[in-house]
Each structure stands twice: as C-alpha cells, then as structure tokens.
Amino acid sequence: MDRLRGWPATLAEGSVGLRPLRLADVRTWRETRLRNADWLRPWEPSNPETPLFRTGLGPYVSMVGTLRREARQGLALPWVITYGGRFAGQLTVGAIVWGSARSAQVGYWIDGAMAGRGITPTALAMAVDHCFFTTGLHRLEANIRPENQASRRVVEKLGFREEGIRRRQLHIDGAWRDHICYALTVEDVPGGLLVQWRRAREAAAHGGSPVEEV
C-alpha cells in the first residue's frame, strides 16, 4: 500500500504551518474567502458545485467531504496554511496519479492580509518535500494563469521549471483560460526544497540576491 493512504501530516517551519483541513474550519474559511473575494476571484475555477463566495456553509462541507474521500483513496492531500497558528489559506495536492507516473498537481491560495511575508513559498516547499520524501511522489505540477504574477513568483523562486502553455485549460472567472505549466521532480531537489528555500532567504538576509516575499 502506498504511504499516502490516510489524512495528511501536520508540518511546521517557524511560524508557517500546514495541517489537515477540518470541518471545524468552516466559519473561518468562509469569512476569509468572503473578505478576499476580489483578491481571489480572477484566479479561482468557476465551479457551480462549490461557489466561491456563497454565504452558506454547504459548499465548504461538500468540499471537505470530497477531499476526505480522496485523501483516504490516496488521491489528495488537503492542507490549511497557518501563520502563527492562525488560518492563513489553503494548499491542496490533488489529481494524484500512482503507478508509473507518481505525479500530482498543487494549488494554493493565501489571505491577502498575510501576503508578502514568505508564507506561501515556505508552505509549498514543505508540501513538496512531504510529497517527494514521505509520500513517494516523483513529479509535481503547478498550473498558473499567465496574468497571476504573484503566484508565478512563488513557484519561480522555488525553482519550478516552466514547461509551456496549456491552452484554455481551466474555466476561471467565467471563461476558459490559458495556464502556464510549472513542474518539479524529485531529482531537482536532492537535498529537499525547504533547505534550498531556507538558504536563499538566509543569503538574502546577509546581503546576497534579494528574495521577494509572497
């Protein structure tokens, strides 16, 4: 049986954490999404089953139920991003394929009030290391709209390769949108991605090349 079976681990790096998504997060999740409606709308899939900014709690409960089932089946790792113990966003590794592929796709969003502190790349680096060195995946992709400069900076500063455009890949904000495919394989980060990211930040703090926080 693959090591992924079951709910995702709880991970931490300084003030940044990843923990499993819970039903109990419903009110905080809803409040954060409503407050960030304008921040998130241009980048979110247009999905009538889980409306982005509906005020009811049903869409969240449905989403968590789906992600729980997928996690038990080894098809997803749904995390909450925390900062100083507070809910800061969401990171999900999904569309996991086993067999000869051992690949997955990663998506994330962050509360706009907490942007600019390096939370998202730190959380993504932790997730990548967990997927590669604990779960046993080989390849991770992040597909991002060309216009989403903030999200592109996250993966670029972590060393994800740009692998080309996927034309009209997802229905986003009311229309079919192109996405840039970024990817990493385990061979790209032999010592771990979090170690690389930590070294880059330390070098920047001591006068090396600046690292823009996202």
Side-chain angles (χ1 to χ4, degrees), residues 142-208:
N143 295 293
I144 302 170
R145 284 189 61 185
E147 302 88 348
N148 192 347
Q149 295 296 330
S151 191
R152 291 177 62 184
R153 286 197 300 271
V154 170
V155 294
E156 287 169 356
K157 71 178 57 177
L158 290 176
F160 278 68
R161 287 184 308 280
E162 182 177 333
E163 295 190 344
I165 294 285
R166 294 187 167 176
R167 299 295 181 190
R168 294 174 289 280
Q169 183 192 22
L170 290 174
H171 199 266
I172 303 287
D173 193 26
W176 292 101
R177 312 286 187 175
D178 294 348
H179 283 66
I180 300 175
C181 177
Y182 290 90
L184 273 181
T185 66
V186 68
E187 292 88 355
D188 297 320
V189 289
L193 185 55
L194 185 59
V195 169
Q196 292 184 14
W197 170 235
R198 191 184 298 132
R199 287 173 179 166
R201 298 184 75 184
E202 290 173 352
H206 290 86

Side-chain angles (χ1 to χ4, degrees), residues 17-22 25 78-82 87-91:
L18 289 173
R19 65 163 174 79
L21 184 66
R22 303 166 183 157
D25 293 316
W79 276 293
V80 162
I81 303 172
T82 62
F87 186 105
Q90 188 175 345
L91 187 155

Side-chain angles (χ1 to χ4, degrees), residues 41-124:
R41 185 177 288 109
W43 323 120
E44 291 282 344
S46 306
N47 186 344
E49 295 180 2
T50 55
L52 187 56
F53 306 113
R54 182 179 291 175
T55 56
L57 305 182
Y60 178 84
V61 174
S62 176
M63 177 190 69
V64 174
T66 298
L67 289 173
R68 280 180 179 272
R69 288 191 297 273
E70 291 181 353
R72 287 193 297 268
Q73 295 166 2
L75 302 177
L77 287 166
W79 276 293
V80 162
I81 303 172
T82 62
Y83 184 67
R86 295 175 53 200
F87 186 105
Q90 188 175 345
L91 187 155
T92 300
V93 177
I96 295 175
V97 179
W98 291 100
S100 58
R102 289 191 168 253
S103 65
Q105 298 184 22
V106 61
Y108 47 82
W109 61 268
I110 188 76
D111 186 336
M114 297 188 183
R117 308 182 192 186
I119 298 170
T120 310
T122 301
L124 181 55

